[in-house]
Amino acid sequence: MKFLPTTREEMKQLGWEHLDVLLISGDTYLDTSYNGSALVGKWLVKHGFRVGIIAQPEVDTPRDITRLGEPDLFFAISGGCVDSMVANYTATKKRRQQDDFTPGGINNRRPDRAVLVYSNMIRRFFKGTQKKIVISGIESSLRRITHYDYWSNKLRKPILFDAKADILSYGMGEMSMLALARALQNGENWKDIRGLSYISKEPREDYLNLPSHAECLENKDIFTGAFHQFYFNCDPITAKGLCQKCDDRYLIQNPPSMTYTEEEMDAIYSMEFARDVHPYYKAMGAVRALDTIRYSVTTHRGCYGECNFCAIAIHQGRTVMSRSQSSIVEEVAEITRLPKFKGNISDVGGPTANMYALECKKKLKLGSCSDRRCLYPKKCPSLQINHRKQINLLRKLKKLPNIKKIFIASGIRYDMILEDTQCGQMYLKELVEDHISGQMKIAPEHTEDSILSLMGKDGRSCLNEFKNKFYELNQKLGKKQFLTYYLIAAHPGCREKEMIDLKRFASKELRVNPEQIQIFTPTPSTYSTLMYYTEKDPFTGKKLFVEKDNGKKQKQKEIVLDKKYRS
């Protein structure tokens, strides 16, 4: 199957009168492993279920959303690869004109709060349906308990209550969605399936009770306590199930899906993908997102960096799940056989490129530690960092026929390179020699230690050390490549003074005029967002300055771009 069906004619070609599962997505239908809907849809098809997809349906008419009919098992809704509010608005709440996941690039097909809109459309246009409505994807996953919503500037209920859906599949959904499909098909109980949340009239006695939604509304310190409990019950080995009262009912969150094995990761990514836009949507215009992911390869999921502004730890997990080298090599080999392939692989990576095949053996056995992080404030001694496997993988990929260049476009943790006394320098040499083109992107996020500590990032001495090693290596190899730095303005705790200091440090020490600066966006279910809402450090309880004026946030960004602050 090259594409999941999106029209009745395609269903007939497959001999399908009905679907088991209907996927509805806020993105257009890109058939790649980077599209969660395509990934889950093909995973279900692989296991015998009939799955179709409706992408970016028109919201005021039943014409789109009903064209494949009512499914036999359930509707599955995703807001898309990016939260719809992040996709639609800038950090200062201005409407975005462009959408890279929409044909033609114009931001005119993704509704605000897409999950709520699509769920309500099903209730409206499939009147009286008895089929389950399942919400999933990052938009749902990060809103599964009481959460701060930046765009309305208030705490909102768990999204299941607002969406009026039946089930929420959170995190990476292949296994939970497959288990749900099998349970519904066989008329079996699905309420103990890992990775699912649902609404109940009663709490579960064996689950941990979070403070209620009403209590969170009344007291920011209580909300902070609820978030701590939520965050530390996201590891599949140690997590307890959670309950949260909302009005007169309860959100029930089952423990997370178990960490995927290497064999399971290989099975997921060995599925065939067209690496293209479905023809039905391709006729509507070019999709810019495809340019960067068509010839990219995922090596792993998860991240133990746990930066406070990042939601990966909550969505993908703090345990890195890696594929085998043979699986990755085979996928790249398949790409080289595609008729339009020109020899360049855009990316071989994951949330953090150099976490591939690097995980703590203690964590894999006992779960994430409750009293410390893997990399902050310093690397945990139990995490043994060695880039040897990554070097071997890159060297195997370079030798494949028809390969010109293997790029690493995913983020690099340069502190991990420095910590690896055995192979760190060898890995950096591999990158500089063969896997970047002119520039290497790194994300220090800031340079001032007071702000870095609030971000959960290492100090600037580490940045300086890496910068020196990078340029020394370039000089030795006769290369003229440079570093580009991703930075954040207006993070909680940051004033104009810290941005002036950042600018001066960048000019004097890094010898650059930074251009990649983004204003902090408070997205649901991160510690930095908790800081933004409560105006306190959640780990110390101390009061925290938070810039909430959008004009002053923009000023912080402009300080870094303005040449007058160099000296």
Side-chain angles (χ1 to χ4, degrees):
M1 177 183 289
K2 192 172 183 181
F3 290 100
L4 298 172
T6 192
T7 65
R8 280 283 188 179
E9 291 73 20
E10 292 171 274
M11 283 177 60
K12 289 178 181 178
Q13 290 171 11
L14 294 168
W16 296 355
E17 290 295 325
H18 301 275
L19 296 174
D20 294 311
V21 178
L22 176 59
L23 303 172
I24 300 161
S25 174
D27 294 332
T28 196
Y29 176 19
L30 295 172
D31 194 70
T32 81
S33 60
Y34 286 83
N35 181 340
S37 293
L39 201 62
V40 170
K42 289 205 164 179
W43 184 246
L44 291 174
V45 170
K46 179 182 174 75
H47 290 86
F49 293 94
R50 299 164 298 175
V51 183
I53 184 168
I54 301 293
Q56 299 184 315
E58 293 182 72
V59 299
D60 295 323
T61 171
R63 181 171 56 245
D64 279 343
I65 203 166
T66 62
R67 72 170 179 261
L68 297 184
E70 183 179 53
D72 290 346
L73 298 179
F74 62 89
F75 300 89
I77 296 169
S78 169
C81 298
V82 181
D83 182 291
S84 64
M85 298 303 288
V86 174
N88 287 349
Y89 296 93
T90 69
T92 53
K93 299 183 180 179
K94 294 179 181 177
R95 182 81 183 180
R96 296 187 194 273
Q97 301 303 309
Q98 181 177 303
D99 187 339
D100 288 353
F101 290 91
T102 295
I106 300 173
N107 188 17
N108 60 0
R109 292 187 64 88
R110 188 196 308 270
D112 292 352
R113 307 191 189 282
V115 169
L116 305 188
V117 171
Y118 296 153
S119 183
N120 288 331
M121 286 173 66
I122 291 170
R123 296 293 184 197
R124 179 183 175 190
F125 296 127
F126 292 90
K127 290 189 183 297
T129 183
Q130 298 299 306
K131 309 306 179 185
K132 299 295 184 187
I133 299 177
V134 182
I135 58 176
S136 62
I138 195 165
E139 184 167 336
S140 300
S141 185
L142 300 185
R143 289 172 164 80
R144 57 190 189 265
I145 65 163
T146 294
H147 57 280
Y148 173 68
D149 181 78
Y150 170 60
W151 298 273
S152 57
N153 191 30
K154 66 179 184 181
L155 294 187
R156 292 181 69 108
K157 295 178 181 179
I159 192 171
L160 268 174
F161 288 86
D162 285 341
K164 297 178 175 58
D166 300 295
I167 303 168
L168 188 156
S169 170
Y170 70 88
M172 301 289 95
E174 292 90 358
M175 301 307 171
S176 60
M177 295 286 263
L178 177 59
L180 176 63
R182 285 172 170 167
L184 292 175
Q185 186 180 57
N186 297 327
E188 298 169 348
N189 176 38
W190 52 266
K191 291 190 174 180
D192 291 325
I193 294 173
R194 282 177 167 267
L196 297 186
S197 295
Y198 58 94
I199 296 173
S200 172
K201 293 180 180 178
E202 303 291 338
R204 284 189 58 157
E205 294 183 2
D206 54 334
Y207 280 17
L208 178 67
N209 272 299
L210 298 179
S212 70
H213 179 69
E215 290 172 320
C216 290
L217 288 175
E218 291 173 3
N219 189 301
K220 290 183 177 181
D221 290 339
I222 289 177
F223 176 59
T224 296
F227 187 81
H228 284 316
Q229 288 179 296
F230 167 68
Y231 188 91
F232 287 108
N233 281 279
C234 287
D235 183 277
I237 295 177
T238 61
K240 296 179 180 178
L242 302 177
C243 298
Q244 185 181 36
K245 188 175 183 182
C246 189
D247 299 330
D248 59 350
R249 295 183 294 169
Y250 293 84
L251 173 78
I252 308 295
Q253 177 181 295
N254 293 339
S257 295
M258 295 304 295
T259 300
Y260 293 2
T261 64
E262 183 179 88
E263 291 75 19
E264 288 170 331
M265 287 288 287
D266 286 355
I268 290 168
Y269 285 97
S270 67
M271 296 187 297
E272 181 184 359
F273 293 93
R275 297 182 182 272
D276 205 349
V277 185
H278 188 285
Y280 183 89
Y281 299 101
K282 198 172 189 176
M284 301 176 186
V287 180
R288 291 185 59 181
L290 187 62
D291 295 340
T292 56
I293 61 179
R294 186 197 296 269
Y295 302 130
S296 294
V297 176
T298 298
T299 58
H300 62 286
R301 295 177 178 174
C303 180
Y304 43 77
E306 294 190 76
C307 299
N308 287 332
F309 51 80
C310 180
I312 291 172
I314 288 291
H315 185 56
Q316 290 197 13
R318 289 179 281 167
T319 301
V320 170
M321 300 170 276
S322 297
R323 298 167 61 185
S324 68
Q325 288 196 13
S326 59
S327 171
I328 297 165
V329 170
E330 178 54 35
E331 183 177 354
V332 173
E334 287 181 5
I335 292 174
T336 66
R337 294 189 282 268
L338 295 174
K340 294 183 180 180
F341 180 66
K342 302 298 183 183
N344 294 326
I345 298 295
S346 306
D347 186 31
V348 175
T352 301
N354 58 323
M355 285 186 185
Y356 171 71
L358 273 175
E359 194 39 283
C360 172
K361 293 181 180 179
K362 180 181 176 183
K363 189 209 294 186
L364 291 172
K365 183 179 180 181
L366 302 175
S368 299
C369 297
S370 60
D371 58 345
R372 69 162 302 149
R373 295 183 176 186
C374 295
L375 295 174
Y376 179 81
K378 294 295 181 183
K379 182 189 75 66
C380 175
S382 297
L383 179 64
Q384 300 299 309
I385 297 178
N386 189 312
H387 290 80
R388 171 68 68 181
K389 290 183 179 178
Q390 298 177 47
I391 295 169
N392 291 341
L393 172 63
L394 292 173
R395 289 176 177 174
K396 287 179 181 178
L397 295 177
K398 285 191 298 184
K399 292 179 182 178
L400 289 173
N402 302 318
I403 287 291
K404 294 179 182 177
K405 190 90 169 180
I406 302 285
F407 290 101
I408 305 297
S410 297
I412 298 285
R413 285 289 301 226
Y414 51 85
D415 54 339
M416 291 178 61
I417 294 177
L418 297 177
E419 287 283 353
D420 182 1
T421 57
Q422 296 182 63
C423 297
Q425 186 71 8
M426 189 188 309
Y427 177 68
L428 181 57
K429 182 174 181 288
E430 183 77 24
L431 295 181
V432 169
E433 274 192 313
D434 290 318
H435 303 292
I436 59 176
S437 180
Q439 60 182 327
M440 181 176 177
K441 302 170 187 174
I442 58 174
E445 313 299 359
H446 215 282
T447 62
E448 303 312 293
D449 288 346
S450 61
I451 308 305
L452 288 168
S453 66
L454 291 168
M455 292 177 166
K457 299 276 288 187
D458 205 350
R460 68 186 185 187
S461 60
C462 177
L463 173 61
N464 246 339
E465 182 182 354
F466 179 78
K467 180 210 74 171
N468 292 335
K469 285 183 179 293
F470 176 83
Y471 285 111
E472 286 170 7
L473 193 53
N474 269 271
Q475 186 175 20
K476 183 178 179 180
L477 295 172
K479 299 273 188 177
K480 294 183 179 180
Q481 300 178 129
F482 58 94
L483 293 172
T484 57
Y485 305 88
Y486 285 86
L487 302 165
I488 294 178
H491 185 276
C494 187
R495 302 174 187 264
E496 288 185 11
K497 176 188 179 299
E498 283 78 21
M499 297 308 292
I500 293 172
D501 291 342
L502 182 159
K503 175 68 172 182
R504 288 172 176 164
F505 180 86
S507 177
K508 183 178 179 181
E509 301 292 337
L510 304 180
R511 298 185 179 182
V512 296
N513 186 37
E515 296 180 355
Q516 302 291 338
I517 305 101
Q518 61 181 7
I519 297 171
F520 169 70
T521 301
T523 53
S525 296
T526 71
Y527 270 112
S528 293
T529 297
L530 184 64
M531 295 176 201
Y532 185 92
Y533 170 65
T534 63
E535 300 181 36
K536 287 184 178 181
D537 183 330
F539 306 106
T540 66
K542 293 181 179 179
K543 189 168 178 58
L544 196 63
F545 169 78
V546 178
E547 185 57 79
K548 295 193 174 182
D549 181 278
N550 283 333
K552 292 180 178 179
K553 290 179 187 178
Q554 186 66 32
K555 175 68 180 300
Q556 286 198 22
K557 178 178 178 179
E558 289 172 354
I559 285 171
V560 183
L561 299 173
D562 194 334
K563 294 181 181 180
K564 75 179 180 182
Y565 291 100
R566 281 188 176 185
S567 59

